[in-house]
Amino acid sequence: MTQLTEAGQGPAQRMFAADRASRGLGMELLRAGDGSAAVRMPVTARMVNGHGVAHGGFLFTLADTAFACACNSRGPVTVAAGADVVFTAPAHEGDVLLAVAEERARFGRSGVYDVTVRREADGLVIAEFRGRSRTVGERGADGRGAPAGRDAS
């Protein structure tokens, strides 16, 4: 489910639209809302390391982007407080990867999210990621977050 506003975009969609890093890597936000998100990314020649497989940093970035979209899907500006990743299988140039993030728990201003990265063609699990989030404030008119409890202007 995608959370939408009158403008037709929810908070995660607006955040992703401004995310030049993720979009520059060819990522596509497929859905975001209610604490979940799905992001797709093709593995390009520039993402392959010296062993001929996708560099782990790009896999982490894909999972981190899905995590960010999931934890920002409800509106308040939320950032990563920490994350861990386990690489389970290699990805190769030409693979299309799908990262699906799901909220596991929210408590106070904190949250826990799990992200599974799969190869889209056959569903092989490439990585498992766990992210910890922290809500820091509301989004101001300039698109930046203000500390919780403070005016965004």
Side-chain angles (χ1 to χ4, degrees):
M1 172 191 247
T2 301
Q3 181 182 10
L4 298 177
T5 64
E6 291 177 15
Q9 289 191 330
Q13 290 81 0
R14 288 190 305 274
M15 180 196 68
F16 185 80
D19 184 347
R20 293 182 294 182
S22 296
R23 288 184 303 105
L25 292 173
M27 291 184 203
E28 175 188 6
L29 176 59
L30 302 178
R31 65 175 173 79
D34 296 329
S36 69
V39 177
R40 178 186 293 139
M41 180 184 80
V43 178
T44 66
R46 289 185 155 177
M47 297 175 179
V48 175
N49 67 19
H51 296 295
V53 298
H55 191 290
F58 291 108
L59 302 176
F60 184 96
T61 301
L62 171 61
D64 186 51
T65 296
F67 162 55
C69 290
C71 66
N72 279 279
S73 65
R74 290 190 176 92
V77 174
T78 303
V79 298
D84 301 293
V85 68
V86 176
F87 302 112
T88 59
H92 299 90
E93 180 180 352
D95 286 346
V96 176
L97 304 178
L98 179 64
V100 176
E102 297 291 337
E103 182 180 88
R104 296 297 176 225
R106 276 183 29 198
F107 46 99
R109 295 188 309 146
S110 299
V112 177
Y113 295 77
D114 286 337
V115 183
T116 299
V117 177
R118 296 180 184 272
R119 187 167 52 211
E120 197 171 56
D122 61 4
L124 177 69
V125 175
I126 303 297
E128 291 286 350
F129 172 106
R130 174 157 277 192
R132 297 169 304 281
S133 69
R134 185 74 171 168
T135 299
V136 295
E138 295 294 329
R139 189 171 301 279
D142 65 356
R144 297 181 182 186
R150 302 195 73 189
D151 187 1
S153 52

